[in-house]
Amino acid sequence: MSFWNWSFLLLVFVSVTWSDSNPITQQKLDQVSNLPGQSFDVAFAHYAGYVTVNKEFGRALFYWMTEATNDPSSKPLILWLEGGPGCSSLASAMVNGGPFHVNEDGKSVYLNPYSWNTVANMLFVESPVGVGYSYSNTSSDITNNGDKRTAADTLQFLLNWLERFPQYKGRDFYIAGQSYAGHYVPQLSQAIVRYNKENAGSPINLKGYMVGNALTDDHNDRVGLFQFMWTVGLISDQTYKKLNELCNRESFIFPSSECDKIIEIANQEMGGIDRYSIFTPPCPNNSVTKRFLKRWHNVGPIGQSYDPCSEEYTVIYFNLPEVQSALHVNNSIKWEFCSAAVYNNWKDSPISVLDVHQELMTYGLRIWIYSGNTDAVIPVTSTRQSIDALNLTTIGPWRAWYDDGQVGGWTQEYTGLTFVVVRGAGHQVPFHKPKQALNLVKSFLAGTSMAPFVDKVVESSP
């Protein structure tokens, strides 16, 4: 081989090696210039790509980060995790608090005026592997996910991602999520706190976390669900009594056919409503996201988030080749809103994370739990049962909070925890009540109480 050929190969090797180690180069490679179907300009940069979390097995998590719309260098960083287990945070960005939402044609996007990146830099991560665009070169990884490995992999993701985006090292950092992220968020927070104790100079400056309509404690979640279904008139008196009698703590340990039968009766009595939002009509063509059911959870499915027709538009959009190319997706991946393979093969899930919350309160983290009060999957009554089990000291009385003169919901403050109810919201608060959800995250980041009573309340039209 000639000298010039060797020189060329050396130049290519050096260039590739330098680009892999230089964070600015990697950021440029990950930057998204324009989304397909985007007919408008945006005033913020956004990035998408992969971060390897395990080289031996080839596990890589996909992320999408949208900078804050104004002065991003002064804004905190929020990591958003979606539940399931097995559902996509990228999907959540497109139907909840992300800046882009998909139009009905499934081929174009519009700007969300209530995006959370108006107040923070937003990092959406598809976790664990097998969810969305995230993958592993070891096929058995997809059927061996669980809470412990998810927390460990997501912590490793953060450490590696911060090497690529060093400007966020030491930045005020918060974690938020909903549904089964009621496990992910506190468990990841716990992993970070423990990592920081053992590693001086950690780049992760965790300030707090927030979870909504969150799976927290299997027993309390179930008791609260039965209470909610009966209170709002979804089930009969007789079924309510039987649910409490037959589906007790022992039924979590020893399978009970009697409990299964009364749960099926409750399902029949509720009818064809959308349990994620009991007062809104479901999508008439509800064919995209599969409904999942595991015994340890609740009556009714918990696998997916709220199931409006926008899910179908999102699935179409993220499977477009031009979209995957724009987001730097490896090869061609069939993208799903929720992964049945991940959900149906989940390996470990503690019956409660109340002990994790209790541990984290001792570190002075800002901890908020919120709940939409029209959700019949993990309803407000379930969340109140779990908070009550923590035996916290009340420091702020139960009261209404306001949004534009209207009651936005209710709140109560405890030592170490703030609880917020969002009026009229279902399982996904940012989807059903985007403006109120943005007010919620503003107050959370500021560490201030939800807006109190106003002098003049505007009455609703009859």
Side-chain angles (χ1 to χ4, degrees):
M1 183 177 290
S2 70
F3 169 80
W4 294 110
N5 286 337
W6 276 112
S7 298
F8 174 75
L9 289 176
L10 179 62
L11 178 62
V12 170
F13 174 78
V14 171
S15 298
V16 170
T17 303
W18 181 79
S19 67
D20 285 344
S21 61
N22 186 283
I24 302 302
T25 301
Q26 278 298 304
Q27 288 182 33
K28 289 181 178 178
L29 291 173
D30 285 359
Q31 187 164 1
V32 179
S33 58
N34 202 65
L35 288 175
Q38 178 187 330
S39 60
F40 50 87
D41 295 327
V42 295
F44 57 88
H46 55 118
Y47 305 82
Y50 289 93
V51 172
T52 299
V53 296
N54 186 291
K55 291 183 179 180
E56 180 183 358
F57 293 94
R59 293 201 296 273
L61 299 184
F62 185 84
Y63 83 91
W64 189 12
M65 195 274 283
T66 60
E67 288 187 347
T69 56
N70 182 45
D71 194 16
S73 63
S74 69
K75 299 296 193 300
L77 176 67
I78 298 178
L79 168 67
W80 176 270
L81 299 173
E82 188 56 48
C87 293
S88 166
S89 296
L90 202 63
S92 187
M94 281 297 201
V95 298
N96 284 289
F100 303 102
H101 285 185
V102 182
N103 283 310
E104 187 175 352
D105 60 7
K107 299 179 180 180
S108 59
V109 296
Y110 63 93
L111 201 60
N112 173 20
Y114 302 111
S115 173
W116 287 16
N117 82 324
T118 57
V119 294
N121 301 284
M122 294 298 302
L123 177 60
F124 301 91
V125 178
E126 295 196 300
S127 177
V129 292
V131 174
Y133 295 136
S134 295
Y135 69 91
S136 175
N137 292 330
T138 305
S139 58
S140 60
D141 275 348
I142 309 304
T143 55
N144 281 286
N145 284 304
D147 281 22
K148 291 180 180 179
R149 197 179 77 185
T150 297
D153 278 0
T154 310
L155 172 59
Q156 191 61 54
F157 166 89
L158 285 171
L159 294 170
N160 294 350
W161 186 87
L162 286 169
E163 290 302 314
R164 189 176 302 182
F165 289 84
Q167 64 267 38
Y168 288 97
K169 289 183 176 181
R171 186 82 62 93
D172 285 358
F173 176 66
Y174 298 90
I175 311 174
Q178 62 191 8
S179 194
Y180 196 84
H183 279 211
Y184 293 159
V185 172
Q187 288 171 338
L188 175 59
S189 299
Q190 182 186 55
I192 292 171
V193 166
R194 293 179 176 180
Y195 176 87
N196 288 351
K197 286 178 64 178
E198 297 175 359
N199 296 271
S202 168
I204 307 175
N205 184 22
L206 179 65
K207 293 294 187 180
Y209 62 87
M210 178 169 64
V211 288
N213 291 82
L215 189 76
T216 303
D217 178 275
D218 288 355
H219 175 71
N220 292 326
D221 289 344
R222 177 178 278 187
V223 170
L225 175 61
F226 298 160
Q227 181 183 5
F228 181 83
M229 291 191 299
W230 176 73
T231 302
V232 298
L234 299 180
I235 59 175
S236 65
D237 292 353
Q238 181 181 8
T239 297
Y240 177 56
K241 292 176 182 177
K242 287 290 186 181
L243 284 167
N244 285 299
E245 175 186 340
L246 300 174
C247 300
N248 49 33
R249 286 184 182 272
E250 290 185 359
S251 66
F252 287 109
I253 303 172
F254 304 104
S256 166
S257 59
E258 291 81 5
C259 175
D260 291 342
K261 289 177 182 178
I262 196 63
I263 283 176
E264 182 57 35
I265 291 173
N267 288 336
Q268 294 172 2
E269 289 181 351
M270 282 188 284
I273 63 170
D274 187 336
R275 300 173 197 179
Y276 295 88
S277 176
I278 63 173
F279 298 125
T280 58
C283 178
N285 184 26
N286 182 10
S287 60
V288 171
T289 305
K290 292 181 175 65
R291 297 278 184 173
F292 307 130
L293 174 62
K294 266 193 175 181
R295 286 198 78 265
W296 72 62
H297 289 160
N298 287 287
V299 177
I302 195 172
Q304 71 170 85
S305 299
Y306 178 65
D307 189 20
C309 293
S310 59
E311 284 190 6
E312 300 199 359
Y313 317 148
T314 303
V315 171
I316 293 171
Y317 188 77
F318 281 133
N319 278 297
L320 294 176
E322 58 268 32
V323 171
Q324 296 192 5
S325 176
L327 294 175
H328 315 124
V329 174
N330 286 356
N331 302 315
S332 178
I333 292 179
K334 182 182 178 181
W335 186 91
E336 296 178 300
F337 205 98
C338 298
S339 168
V342 170
Y343 185 90
N344 291 328
N345 293 283
W346 201 252
K347 297 304 181 185
D348 62 278
S349 178
I351 62 173
S352 179
V353 293
L354 289 176
D355 59 324
V356 182
H357 287 299
Q358 287 175 322
E359 176 187 338
L360 294 172
M361 287 179 195
T362 65
Y363 292 98
L365 295 177
R366 185 176 303 154
I367 301 173
W368 283 34
I369 297 178
Y370 65 90
S371 181
N373 68 350
T374 68
D375 174 27
V377 176
I378 309 177
V380 63
T381 44
S382 294
T383 301
R384 295 184 78 172
Q385 291 277 353
S386 289
I387 292 176
D388 185 62
L390 290 169
N391 294 315
L392 303 175
T393 301
T394 301
I395 59 175
W398 184 269
R399 63 168 178 83
W401 60 270
Y402 288 80
D403 174 68
D404 286 343
Q406 297 286 340
V407 173
W410 298 266
T411 185
Q412 187 153 18
E413 295 169 341
Y414 304 87
T415 301
L417 184 148
T418 296
F419 177 48
V420 180
V421 178
V422 182
R423 176 188 176 201
H427 193 62
Q428 291 192 97
V429 169
F431 178 82
H432 289 100
K433 295 292 181 179
K435 185 173 181 293
Q436 290 80 357
L438 183 57
N439 287 339
L440 172 68
V441 75
K442 286 179 180 178
S443 293
F444 168 70
L445 292 175
T448 58
S449 300
M450 298 299 293
F453 179 76
V454 292
D455 293 334
K456 183 179 180 180
V457 177
V458 180
E459 295 184 358
S460 301
S461 300

